[in-house]
Amino acid sequence: MDFSSLVTAMPGLVSGMMLTLKLLVLAIVGGVALGTLLALARLSHNKLLSNLAGFYVNYFRSIPLLLVITWFYFVVPFIIGWLTGTNEPIGAFYSCLVAFMMFEAAYYCEIVRAGIQSISRGQVNAAYALGMTYSQTMRLVILPQAFRKMTPLLLQQSIILFQDTSLVYAVGLMDFLNSARSAGDIVGELHQFLLFAGLVYFIISFGASTLVKRLQKRLTV
Amino acid sequence: MIRFSSVNKWYGRDHHVLKNINLEVKQGEVVVVCGPSGSGKSTLIRTINQLEPINDGEINVGGVIVNNPKTDINKLRADVGFVFQHFNLYPHLSVLDNITLAPMQVKKMSREAAEQLAMELLERVGLANKKHAYPANLSGGQQQRVAIARGLAMQPKVMLFDEPTSALDPEMIGEVLAVMQQLAESGMTMMVVTHEMGFAREVADRVLFLAEGEILEDTTPEAFFTAPQTDRARQFLRQILSPMHG
Ligand SMILES: Nc1ncnc2c1ncn2[C@@H]1O[C@H](COP(=O)(O)OP(=O)(O)OP(=O)(O)O)[C@@H](O)[C@H]1O
Ligand SMILES: [Mg+2]
């Protein structure tokens, strides 16, 4: 492998990686938040609410992510423009972010739901018996315990998300993989650059999932 | 303090768990509830703070009608302490935070005031030195004493106990009963589901005997143990007092 062209391309690759990580972190935060709300809705006694949330989850789990990304690329700018009344282009980054958040929320929802259900009913009763409201009980008693248990699963799902961020090439966003591909194209060393990108994805994902496994072991003992 | 008027409850369509319950507990009274498994003891005391809703009748706690939809149920619950068989301490919080959480959240007490109160209560249940411990590192008896302190921290008018010692190793039952006895002597109104007949004899003002959702006996401990009126109660007492029990 010729390292000199890699070194020259490094600034572009680094900024691609920054975009990937920024997208990842924001999508995790938004996805977990939305997924938690969906999980609470699914567990709600309100039939309408729980059916709506159930429909949302099943819908997003039944369509390809790539479709969501391209679809939101065209639809989200339109909706935001309509909501804010401006015609400012919002760009591929935000449409991708919304797509990932909404898509991943469906998966996070199922993890959070299982987490909440794993906390014994007695915890809810104990909080209610002291006069705490539903939202205080969830926020201070149930969710903190549920998230502690779910952390490994949420991280595992986030590692999958990390790999899936590469799908943004479909709307021309310069993430890490797309930066590597285009840099490789320019210098005519596409194979080397793709190999390098693969190595980076592997190291990050494998390293992270090893850490998750270790964490999981620590949480179960 | 607590009054049941013709209370009925069903689980589903045809499981009649509470049958026409009429009952009054006066301020400062200690009432022990006993009866065979499945007779509805837990259901009975859980209706008092609406952990279980009732279908019919009326429950009045300190002048507040519990099953009135207009009643602020969280406010009512804040005045009614409940101690569970399995303690149900919050495992992710320290002993001190377990006790201060509800006073700070529900009563909007300041942290200092809540912690001061918590320390007084821990002192009272003999666990002041465990304030920074987590529930997982306490014995069952210690957890239950913390749970009692947690309930008392809301300064309730009534304390309800659902088999507070039946999940404990025998050597820990005494320490929990001692705390409850001390509480009873301080004048707390208490309703206690328990099969600890020694406690019933020494501490209770009254014993209720429940079978198949009906109150079959409502009398003094003395009368209940020496002259039960019903066959069901005689049979129950034979079982519970025989050395084979447990
Ligand atoms: N949530 C519920 N749904 C349906 N049936 C229930 C429910 N909770 C309790 N039951 C039934 O109602 C009856 C009374 O239950 P309860 O728990 O009040 O009895 P108990 O006297 O406390 O018994 P134990 O001594 O075993 O604690 C039992 O037959 C029980 O199976
Ligand atoms: Mg019971």
Side-chain angles (χ1 to χ4, degrees):
Chain A
M1 185 182 255
D2 182 2
F3 287 104
S4 66
S5 51
L6 256 184
V7 171
T8 334
M10 206 39 90
L13 294 180
V14 167
S15 80
M17 183 50 88
M18 293 312 286
L19 185 139
T20 293
L21 293 178
K22 191 173 150 200
L23 187 62
L24 175 71
V25 169
L26 293 176
I28 292 174
V29 171
V32 169
L34 181 59
T36 304
L37 292 178
L38 282 168
L40 293 175
R42 276 206 94 169
L43 292 171
S44 153
H45 290 299
N46 184 328
K47 275 273 173 292
L48 179 69
L49 206 57
S50 81
N51 286 340
L52 276 176
F55 175 77
Y56 179 102
V57 168
N58 287 322
Y59 179 72
F60 275 99
R61 279 160 59 112
S62 311
I63 54 175
L65 177 52
L66 189 55
L67 177 71
V68 181
I69 291 170
T70 42
W71 194 57
F72 273 57
Y73 181 63
F74 297 110
V75 171
V76 168
F78 176 76
I79 293 176
I80 291 185
W82 180 71
L83 281 179
T84 58
T86 58
N87 254 335
E88 301 270 321
I90 67 143
F93 181 80
Y94 287 103
S95 81
C96 283
L97 178 57
V98 173
F100 278 116
M101 266 169 47
M102 294 192 62
F103 185 84
E104 291 300 320
Y107 290 84
Y108 287 128
C109 165
E110 292 304 274
I111 297 173
V112 176
R113 183 168 74 127
I116 292 173
Q117 283 176 321
S118 76
I119 306 302
S120 90
R121 183 74 206 163
Q123 291 288 309
V124 177
N125 284 337
Y128 280 176
L130 289 160
M132 285 166 57
T133 61
Y134 170 82
S135 80
Q136 288 170 332
T137 301
M138 278 299 158
R139 201 158 39 83
L140 301 163
V141 176
I142 306 304
L143 289 177
Q145 295 181 52
F147 271 104
R148 206 160 296 194
K149 282 196 183 178
M150 297 171 324
T151 303
L153 283 176
L154 290 174
L155 289 175
Q156 246 150 31
Q157 183 63 35
S158 305
I159 294 170
I160 299 174
L161 173 58
F162 169 65
Q163 294 158 18
D164 287 350
T165 52
S166 58
L167 289 172
V168 299
Y169 84 94
V171 295
L173 209 54
M174 288 305 255
D175 75 325
F176 178 66
L177 181 58
N178 211 5
S179 306
R181 191 192 51 76
S182 95
D185 246 358
I186 290 166
V187 294
E189 292 171 12
L190 187 56
H191 287 94
Q192 286 92 318
F193 273 77
L194 288 183
L195 269 174
F196 173 72
L199 187 67
V200 171
Y201 276 105
F202 172 77
I203 290 172
I204 294 179
S205 298
F206 186 76
S209 76
T210 308
L211 284 177
V212 170
K213 282 204 191 95
R214 214 173 281 173
L215 179 71
Q216 201 159 20
K217 243 180 228 146
R218 259 192 38 200
L219 284 178
T220 48
V221 290
Chain B
M1 196 55 152
I2 305 174
R3 189 185 311 115
F4 281 67
S5 316
S6 311
V7 170
N8 282 285
K9 177 176 174 67
W10 285 264
Y11 280 123
R13 260 173 203 284
D14 39 36
H15 190 173
H16 199 173
V17 262
L18 295 180
K19 297 174 185 158
N20 192 35
I21 302 287
N22 286 289
L23 155 72
E24 181 159 4
V25 179
K26 295 200 185 65
Q27 167 119 36
E29 227 178 351
V30 177
V31 175
V32 158
V33 181
C34 61
S37 179
S39 56
K41 307 178 296 295
S42 299
T43 308
L44 179 77
I45 65 164
R46 290 161 75 97
T47 58
I48 297 171
N49 66 355
Q50 280 264 296
L51 282 180
E52 293 288 354
I54 59 173
N55 300 103
D56 190 22
E58 185 182 288
I59 300 176
N60 186 316
V61 177
V64 179
I65 295 167
V66 175
N67 53 308
N68 183 335
K70 291 201 195 85
T71 299
D72 180 349
I73 200 65
N74 294 322
K75 195 162 178 296
L76 173 102
R77 284 172 175 164
D79 282 337
V80 179
F82 200 106
V83 175
F84 298 85
Q85 180 176 1
H86 295 286
F87 336 128
N88 297 344
L89 293 180
Y90 312 130
H92 61 301
L93 298 179
S94 70
V95 163
L96 198 60
D97 291 339
N98 259 277
I99 300 175
T100 57
L101 184 68
M104 285 167 58
Q105 293 293 326
V106 179
K107 289 193 151 181
K108 309 293 172 204
M109 227 185 239
S110 71
R111 176 175 292 280
E112 298 80 66
E115 286 189 352
Q116 194 185 340
L117 175 62
M119 284 315 297
E120 282 166 23
L121 291 167
L122 282 175
E123 210 76 66
R124 209 163 134 188
V125 299
L127 289 170
N129 58 337
K130 296 287 186 192
K131 63 176 173 179
H132 294 307
Y134 280 80
N137 299 324
L138 299 179
S139 73
Q142 291 171 330
Q143 289 189 54
Q144 194 60 300
R145 280 143 71 199
V146 172
I148 294 173
R150 178 174 70 174
L152 290 174
M154 295 300 283
Q155 297 164 313
K157 299 189 187 117
V158 177
M159 283 289 280
L160 308 174
F161 298 79
D162 189 0
E163 306 210 31
T165 57
S166 58
L168 297 178
D169 293 336
E171 70 270 21
M172 291 169 187
I173 292 175
E175 64 193 57
V176 171
L177 291 178
V179 167
M180 289 168 59
Q181 175 158 14
Q182 175 207 349
L183 186 61
E185 280 159 6
S186 76
M188 178 63 77
T189 309
M190 290 163 61
M191 229 170 134
V192 184
V193 176
T194 183
H195 289 160
E196 291 297 328
M197 292 301 134
F199 178 84
R201 230 187 266 268
E202 277 176 47
V203 183
D205 299 303
R206 263 163 64 203
V207 176
L208 298 183
F209 175 72
L210 212 66
E212 284 156 32
E214 276 181 285
I215 297 180
L216 294 188
E217 312 242 351
D218 178 354
T219 178
T220 63
E222 175 71 18
F224 180 68
F225 290 113
T226 56
Q229 299 297 302
T230 56
D231 282 342
R232 290 289 273 135
R234 273 191 286 275
Q235 190 192 345
F236 173 78
L237 281 170
R238 260 201 313 278
Q239 274 173 5
I240 204 119
L241 298 174
S242 83
M244 292 299 290
H245 176 73

